[in-house]
């Protein structure tokens, strides 16, 4: 019987290692897998590379992971906002490395990683500092920059519902980067608000199929039958 359900967030992240490349879902707080991030902090990892939309908010979740000294480098599109004081301080003190990526390019590079495409040409960032040192070409009179695909050892994402096969649904904007990150990593960990019985999710409503998900953990456990 296929059963990808893990009993706790700590167990789900237990084999993540120092120096791992992680994709972290979330558009700011929306869809951020906070409980999995807290478990990473308890694990005490170091030298992580994170691929995420932003660099954390306040002192919780992604920001708390940065504050704990777990992260060496972050690849993101929106690192700085009014409540990004943790990242700001670390960056000013040269304690974290930043690779800034326009949001459309970030999405395209993750999608490429999940599709087996090594690199892609995009017009975004041509002629700016972000294109420095990168290959450029002209197609039909438009200049493009070559960007490499992004892949990860682990993806940590948040979903609304999940079953024991790893099929997932999401709650509106909580969906954000989760589906493409799940396809672009070797091992996807999904924290879900509710674990449901197999077959309860209509196949037409599955957003991320279980083939892309290795582990599912319900962050607020409730009794559920998994034998269906």
């Amino acid at each position: 019987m296929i059963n990808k359900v893990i009993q706790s967030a700590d167990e789900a992240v237990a084999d993540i290692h120092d120096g791992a490349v992680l994709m972290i879902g979330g558009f700011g707080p929306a869809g951020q897998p906070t409980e999995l991030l807290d478990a990473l902090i308890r694990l005490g990892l170091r030298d992580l590379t994170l691929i995420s939309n932003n660099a954390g908010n306040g002192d919780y979740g992604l920001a708390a992971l940065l504050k704990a000294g777990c992260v060496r480098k972050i690849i993101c599109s929106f690192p700085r906002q009014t409540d990004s004081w943790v990242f700001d301080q670390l960056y000013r003190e040269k304690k974290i490395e930043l690779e800034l990526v326009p949001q459309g390019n970030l999405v395209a590079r993750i999608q490429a990683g999940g599709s087996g495409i090594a690199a892609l040409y995009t017009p975004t960032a041509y002629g700016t500092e972000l294109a420095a040192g990168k290959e450029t070409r002209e197609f039909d009179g438009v200049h493009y920059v070559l960007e490499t695909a992004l892949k990860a050892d682990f993806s940590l994402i948040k979903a609304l519902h999940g079953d024991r096969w790893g099929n997932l649904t999401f709650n509106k904007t909580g969906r954000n980067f989760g589906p493409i990150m799940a396809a672009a990593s070797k091992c996807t960990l999904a924290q879900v608000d509710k674990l449901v019985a197999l077959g309860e999710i209509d196949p037409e409503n599955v957003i991320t199929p279980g083939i892309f998900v290795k582990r599912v953990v319900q962050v607020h456990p409730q009794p559920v039958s998994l034998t269906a």
Side-chain angles (χ1 to χ4, degrees):
M1 182 179 74
I2 298 174
N3 187 357
K4 300 178 181 180
V5 176
I6 304 297
Q7 296 305 309
S8 70
D10 291 278
E11 183 182 351
V13 304
D15 63 340
I16 298 180
H17 51 84
D18 290 344
V21 178
L22 309 182
M23 289 185 177
I24 308 294
F27 195 83
Q32 189 176 119
T34 304
E35 283 79 3
L36 289 177
L37 294 173
D38 289 345
L40 279 182
I41 294 171
R42 291 191 291 272
L43 199 56
L45 297 175
R46 291 292 182 267
D47 296 323
L48 299 176
T49 295
L50 302 188
I51 301 169
S52 178
N53 177 64
N54 74 322
N57 306 86
D59 294 293
Y60 61 89
L62 192 58
L65 186 67
L66 270 60
K67 189 173 183 178
C70 302
V71 181
R72 178 185 63 82
K73 177 181 179 179
I74 186 164
I75 301 170
C76 70
S77 66
F78 195 62
R80 194 170 186 275
Q81 52 199 33
T82 56
D83 61 351
S84 61
W85 48 76
V86 172
F87 170 80
D88 280 4
Q89 181 176 350
L90 291 173
Y91 187 72
R92 292 177 190 278
E93 295 175 353
K94 302 186 184 303
K95 293 181 179 179
I96 192 169
E97 181 182 346
L98 169 67
E99 180 179 338
L100 187 64
V101 183
Q103 191 170 94
N105 285 4
L106 182 68
V107 171
R109 291 174 68 186
I110 295 171
Q111 288 176 321
S115 301
I117 299 171
L120 68 150
Y121 284 102
T122 169
T124 306
Y126 177 81
T128 73
E129 292 183 14
L130 296 182
K134 297 178 181 178
E135 179 184 333
T136 62
R137 286 189 65 181
E138 183 179 335
F139 298 94
D140 297 326
V142 179
H143 294 282
Y144 291 80
V145 180
L146 184 67
E147 297 282 1
T148 56
L150 289 172
K151 296 183 285 186
D153 299 309
F154 298 87
S155 286
L156 279 60
I157 63 175
K158 179 181 179 180
L160 179 63
H161 296 145
D163 62 26
R164 66 175 173 85
W165 282 4
N167 297 311
L168 305 176
T169 67
F170 298 84
N171 183 23
K172 300 179 177 65
T173 56
R175 175 174 173 176
N176 55 78
F177 295 84
I180 61 172
M181 287 182 169
S185 71
K186 298 175 184 176
C187 179
T188 296
L189 287 56
Q191 71 169 62
V192 298
D193 290 343
K194 184 179 181 182
L195 192 62
V196 300
L198 197 63
E200 189 170 334
I201 303 175
D202 187 321
E204 293 294 331
N205 295 330
V206 171
I207 303 300
T208 295
I211 192 171
F212 295 117
V213 178
K214 292 289 179 65
R215 300 168 199 163
V216 179
V217 58
Q218 184 172 264
V219 295
H220 304 294
Q222 301 171 5
V224 63
S225 172
L226 302 179
T227 59

